[in-house]
Every structure is written in C-alpha cells, then in structure tokens.
C-alpha cells in the first residue's frame, strides 16, 4: 500500500482491460453489486454457521486486486476517514440498543475490561512481538495496541444473530465491554504511532495526562450531548416524521466531532450519548432505533468490503507462520490473562471468565487502527497491517463460529429470557418510557399458577396480547398463562426485570 491519492481501477479478468478512469455509473454498479452480494450472502452464512462479518471480508478480498474482481484500491487515508464515520454510526447505534437498567449491574466489570484489560492485552502482545516476532519494543507496543480491543460490530452482530443468553449476565459484560473499549485502543494506537513517527515527541507523564484528558472530556461531552440531544428530539416537534432520523444522525456526528476537536475521545462520547438518549423518554423511538440499526449494518458491510479491498492476499503467505503464532498467543494467552486479572475480586466464576476470554472477537476496528501506521509512513506498517488482518480472520472464523458450543460446554447457556422487541410497533407521539416487550412464559413461574388478576403486576404494566400456539388471546383478569405463551407487555424499563421474574422465573 502506498500513500497518495486514492486509486479505484477495474481490471477485467477476461480481456486484460484496465480502465483507469472508472465512470460514476460503473462505480455505482460495482458498489451496488458488492453490497447486494453481501446482503444475500448473509443468508448463506447463517445456515452454514459462518459469521457474516467474515463473509463481507472475503467478498471484499475476492473483488480486490488479487482476486477475480480486479478492483484496485490502496488509499489508507480515505479508508481511515470512512472508518471514523462508520464507527461513529456503529457505536451510536450500539448505545441506542443498550438498556441501562440491564447493564448497570456489570458496569464495573465491563469498565475494567475496557481499560485495564486492553492495556494488559497490548502489553502481553508487545512482549510476544519483541521476543518471538523480532519487533522493537515500541513497535511491539503499537502492534499490541492495534489488536488490544474487542470489536463492537463483531460482538454485537454475533451475539444478536445467535440469540445467545448466558447465566450470570456474561453477555451483558461482553456487549458493554466491546462498545466501550475502542477509545482505549484508539488512544494507545494513535499515541504509539506518534512516538514511532516522531521519537521523543511525548513523555510517559504526558502520555498518561493525555489519556486522562481524552477519557474525561469524552465522558463529559457524551453525557451532556446525550442529555441535550434527547431533549431536542422531544421538543422540536418537526413537521415531518422523516426528519427525525437525519437530525439524530447529525447529532451523533456532533457527539463525535466536538470532543475530538478539543482533545477528548470522540468514540467514547458518541457511545455514551447513544446510551443516554436510549434511556430517556424519546419520541419515535421505534423508527429511530430501526433506522440506526439498518444504517449500522450498512456501515459494517461497507467497512468490511473496503478493508477486504485494501488487503493484498498475495502478501499473506510469507507471514503465515508469524500471523498464526500471534493469533494463537492473543486468543489462548493474552486475552485470558487480561480477562482473569481484570475480573479479580468480582465474584465471577472460572467458567464465566473463561467464556468472556473466548469471546474476545476482533473485527474491523483492529484493521482500521492498522491503517494509522500506514498513513504515518512507518517502515513496519505494511507487514503489520497484513498481520493484523490475519489475526482478525482467525478470530472471527475460530471464535465467532464456536460461541454457542463454548457456552454449552461451560454450562452457561440458558433460554433467552430477555424481553425482545415486539412485532407490533408502539411509537408514541409524546415522550414516554413505556415500551413493548415480548416475554416467553416458562414452566413453574408465578404467572402459570394464578390468573392475571391475582398476579400483582407492577403498577402501570399491561399485558396486551398473548400468543399461544397458532392463535392470539386478548387477556382478561381471569386469563391464566401457560408455559410457552408469548406475552406482549407494555412496560417501563425499570419494571422489565420484575416482569421477567414473574413470567420467566429467576432472572440472573
């Protein structure tokens, strides 16, 4: 990969034709075909048990310069800029999907993994890179910083697509960790790149001060802009409902850009802003979350395709041994040590820690961070980029395909008891915390023993509809729920846990 202007060319594998001036029509056609192929391939990947993110990467590689597609793209700067936009959307969408009442009990564990865990992983990888891969200490620390964090897009998509529910809330730890550890990895990568590009440019004390500044400003701006953004959405009363999604999208970009301009962590800010907005009363909640969910998938597909185009598969074979050793060390040694150390004193069982260690999925973020040394023109940049790419491939292929098996083997898997979004839409015109959840009734729970009138539901909660077998029941006070029923419940977030206890039994 060479620095400079972007190169988009198309080499026909049939006649050897090279079109150096691709028209907008051809560009749109190729982009649309790649996007369409990725969406359709997702159905095949789910049937075969292959993580869909891996499919997106492979399609990009096949379409790239070393594949039959012959598309040449080698602009790391443009990729980095596109990645910032994509990650902003993905993290904001992840924040909007975060139920604070659900993740609040695991904030301490997730925070330790997102900070101390990333730092320990980076340091351990640096030691391995120094003594086994031949890198200098600073280069090893840079490599460790790049692969030190788990990827929000990868973890969110795998956990949600598999419908995995775990005893003890381990899935909540993983979701919150993956959404909040990117700022740490970005900070370390940018800092180490600067140290290597301009030796002596920053001291250890200055490095620590900059870290505190980034986290503090990012946190404060995220909380403040999230609170302000939700208030504006509720009070603007726009003339057209279709204007709310672009308004909130622009607000997400502001939540990243403003703190980044004043020296804060934009990624931490935009993630926190999404969480704050999601957990306050919000008009058009259903349509807004649906819009950002679709947009986040578009960003994921686009980034994995572009990153697949950016890599040169022909450069991977000479690095196979080093890359395989690095992947094995990261998955089997560095991540487990970091997890077990970070979760000391939390009361988590060995099995829970082992599963959390195994779900250290690496995705687009490490590949994106690997473009920073490329843009800086570091000597080891190209080799490091392809090493990181191989690590991501290995992680998604090995860890992403075995999450279900690992959860069952460790005895952590349980029926999904979480209230899921209902098929029917509840989209109030005025601010409200009420929402629709569909909860599956389990055997032996209080709801199957007495009629609804005697169930003592939390104040304000309504069971609106019951799905039983192939029919629907409109409940009355004398209705008795049966195991397997799906109850459509209108509930506030704070009451959701109590309703799951009544309908599902003990909720861990």
């Amino acid at each position: 990969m060479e620095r400079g202007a972007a190169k988009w060319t198309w080499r026909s594998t049939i006649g050897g034709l090279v079109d150096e001036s691709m028209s907008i029509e051809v560009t749109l056609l190729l982009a649309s075909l790649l996007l369409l192929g990725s969406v359709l391939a997702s159905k095949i990947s789910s049937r075969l048990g292959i993580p869909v993110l891996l499919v997106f990467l492979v399609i990009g590689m096949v379409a790239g310069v070393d594949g039959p597609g012959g598309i040449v793209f080698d602009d790391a700067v443009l990729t980095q800029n596109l990645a910032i936009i994509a990650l902003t959307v993905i993290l904001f969408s992840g924040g909007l999907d975060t139920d604070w009442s659900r993740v609040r009990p695991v904030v301490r564990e997730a925070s330790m993994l997102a900070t101390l865990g990333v730092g320990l992983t980076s340091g351990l990888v640096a030691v391995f890179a120094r003594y086994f891969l031949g890198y200098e200490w600073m280069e090893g620390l840079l490599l460790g910083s790049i692969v030190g964090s788990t990827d929000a897009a990868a973890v969110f998509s795998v956990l949600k697509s598999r419908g995995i529910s775990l005893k003890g809330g381990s899935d909540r730890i993983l979701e919150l960790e993956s959404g909040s550890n990117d700022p740490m990895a970005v900070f370390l990568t940018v800092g180490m790149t600067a140290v290597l590009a301009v030796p002596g440019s920053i001291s250890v004390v200055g490095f620590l001060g900059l870290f505190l500044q980034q986290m503090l400003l990012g946190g404060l701006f995220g909380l403040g802009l999230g609170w302000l953004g939700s208030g504006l959405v509720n009070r603007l009363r726009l003339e057209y409902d279709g204007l709310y999604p672009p308004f909130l999208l622009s607000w997400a970009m502001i939540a990243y850009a403003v703190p980044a301009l004043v020296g804060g962590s934009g990624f931490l800010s935009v993630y926190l802003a999404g969480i704050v907005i999601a957990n306050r009363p919000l008009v058009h909640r259903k349509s807004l979350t649906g819009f950002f969910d679709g947009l986040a998938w578009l960003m994921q597909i686009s980034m994995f395709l572009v990153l697949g185009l950016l890599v040169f598969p022909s450069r991977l074979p000479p690095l196979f041994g080093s890359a395989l050793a690095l992947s094995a060390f990261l998955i089997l040694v560095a991540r487990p040590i970091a997890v077990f150390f970070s979760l000391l004193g939390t009361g988590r069982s060995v099995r829970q820690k082992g599963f959390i260690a195994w779900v250290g999925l690496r995705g687009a973020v490490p590949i994106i961070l690997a473009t920073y040394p490329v843009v800086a023109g570091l000597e080891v940049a190209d080799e490091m980029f392809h090493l990181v790419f191989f690590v991501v491939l290995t992680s998604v292929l090995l860890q992403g395909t075995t999450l279900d098996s690992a959860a069952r083997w460790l005895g952590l898997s349980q029926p999904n008891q979480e209230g899921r979004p209902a098929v029917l839409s509840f989209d109030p015109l005025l601010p409200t915390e009420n929402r629709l959840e569909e909860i599956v009734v389990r055997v032996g729970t209080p709801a199957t023993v007495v009629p609804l009138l005697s169930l003592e539901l939390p104040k304000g909660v309504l069971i609106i509809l019951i799905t039983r077998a192939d029919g629907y029941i409109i409940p009355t006070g004398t209705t008795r729920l049966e195991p397997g029923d799906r109850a459509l419940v209108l509930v506030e977030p704070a009451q959701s846990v109590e309703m799951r206890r009544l309908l599902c039994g003990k909720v861990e």
Side-chain angles (χ1 to χ4, degrees), residues 75-99:
D75 192 344
V77 177
L78 177 59
T79 300
Q80 195 178 101
N81 292 334
L82 292 174
I84 290 173
I85 297 173
L87 282 177
T88 297
V89 172
I90 291 169
L91 289 173
F92 189 74
S93 177
L96 288 180
D97 285 337
T98 300
D99 183 345

Side-chain angles (χ1 to χ4, degrees), residues 377-439:
L378 299 184
E379 186 178 347
V380 297
D382 186 74
E383 178 182 308
M384 196 171 288
F385 179 88
H386 286 83
L387 277 176
V388 171
F389 189 87
F390 187 93
V391 168
V392 170
L393 280 178
T394 306
S395 175
V396 176
L397 183 59
L398 179 60
Q399 296 170 289
T401 56
T402 57
L403 295 190
D404 294 0
S405 301
R408 288 194 299 269
W409 183 70
L410 292 170
L412 297 176
S413 184
Q414 68 176 3
N416 195 339
Q417 297 178 341
E418 299 296 336
R420 68 181 188 180
V423 175
L424 298 178
S425 173
F426 175 64
D427 198 5
L429 296 178
L430 296 176
T432 178
E433 292 187 354
N434 291 336
R435 64 188 184 190
L436 283 178
E437 290 185 1
E438 188 176 82
I439 307 178

Side-chain angles (χ1 to χ4, degrees), residues 95-103 273-282 285 433 435 493:
L96 288 180
D97 285 337
T98 300
D99 183 345
W100 181 247
S101 64
R102 178 175 175 268
V103 301
I275 292 178
V276 172
I277 291 173
N279 290 274
R280 299 192 70 218
L282 187 68
R285 180 183 300 275
E433 292 187 354
R435 64 188 184 190

Side-chain angles (χ1 to χ4, degrees), residues 21-263:
S21 56
M22 189 186 297
S23 66
I24 184 61
E25 292 80 10
V26 174
T27 300
L28 286 175
L29 177 60
L30 291 177
S32 300
L33 289 175
L34 287 173
L35 181 60
L36 181 62
S38 299
V39 172
L40 296 177
S42 65
K43 292 185 65 67
I44 301 174
S45 71
S46 61
R47 293 178 181 176
L48 297 178
I50 301 173
V52 67
L53 303 180
L54 179 62
V55 175
F56 300 156
L57 271 178
V58 171
I59 290 176
M61 293 170 65
V62 169
V65 62
D66 285 344
I71 298 175
V72 180
F73 176 68
D74 64 353
D75 192 344
V77 177
L78 177 59
T79 300
Q80 195 178 101
N81 292 334
L82 292 174
I84 290 173
I85 297 173
L87 282 177
T88 297
V89 172
I90 291 169
L91 289 173
F92 189 74
S93 177
L96 288 180
D97 285 337
T98 300
D99 183 345
W100 181 247
S101 64
R102 178 175 175 268
V103 301
R104 181 172 9 187
V106 300
V107 168
R108 176 171 173 261
E109 292 100 320
S111 299
M112 291 299 292
L113 289 170
T115 52
L116 179 61
V118 172
L120 285 174
T121 302
S122 302
L124 290 169
V125 170
V127 173
F128 180 83
R130 176 67 181 91
Y131 291 106
F132 293 92
L133 301 182
Y135 284 101
E136 298 296 328
W137 276 114
M138 292 296 102
E139 295 170 346
L141 284 171
L142 174 59
L143 179 60
S145 302
I146 292 171
V147 299
S149 70
T150 58
D151 186 74
V155 173
F156 288 158
S157 63
V158 171
L159 290 178
K160 290 180 181 179
S161 64
R162 302 293 178 86
I164 295 174
S165 182
L166 304 172
K167 297 177 182 178
S170 299
D171 48 351
R172 286 171 269 174
I173 295 176
L174 289 164
E175 288 185 22
L176 189 58
E177 176 208 1
S178 65
S180 58
N181 65 6
D182 288 339
M184 181 71 169
V186 171
F187 170 78
L188 291 175
T189 300
V190 172
M192 294 311 305
T193 301
V195 169
L196 285 168
V198 186
S201 58
I202 185 170
S203 64
V204 174
V205 175
F207 200 78
L208 292 175
L210 185 59
F211 170 75
L212 293 176
Q213 172 187 309
Q214 287 254 316
M215 298 301 111
L216 180 61
L217 290 178
L220 291 176
F221 272 100
L223 295 174
L225 289 172
W227 180 84
L228 181 59
S230 63
L232 288 174
V233 170
N234 292 330
R235 290 176 174 81
L236 278 178
R237 305 291 175 88
L238 298 175
E239 295 295 328
Y240 303 99
D241 291 351
L243 292 177
Y244 284 94
F247 172 83
L248 201 55
L249 176 61
S250 65
W251 197 257
M253 298 300 166
I254 290 173
Y256 166 80
V258 171
L261 285 172
V262 297

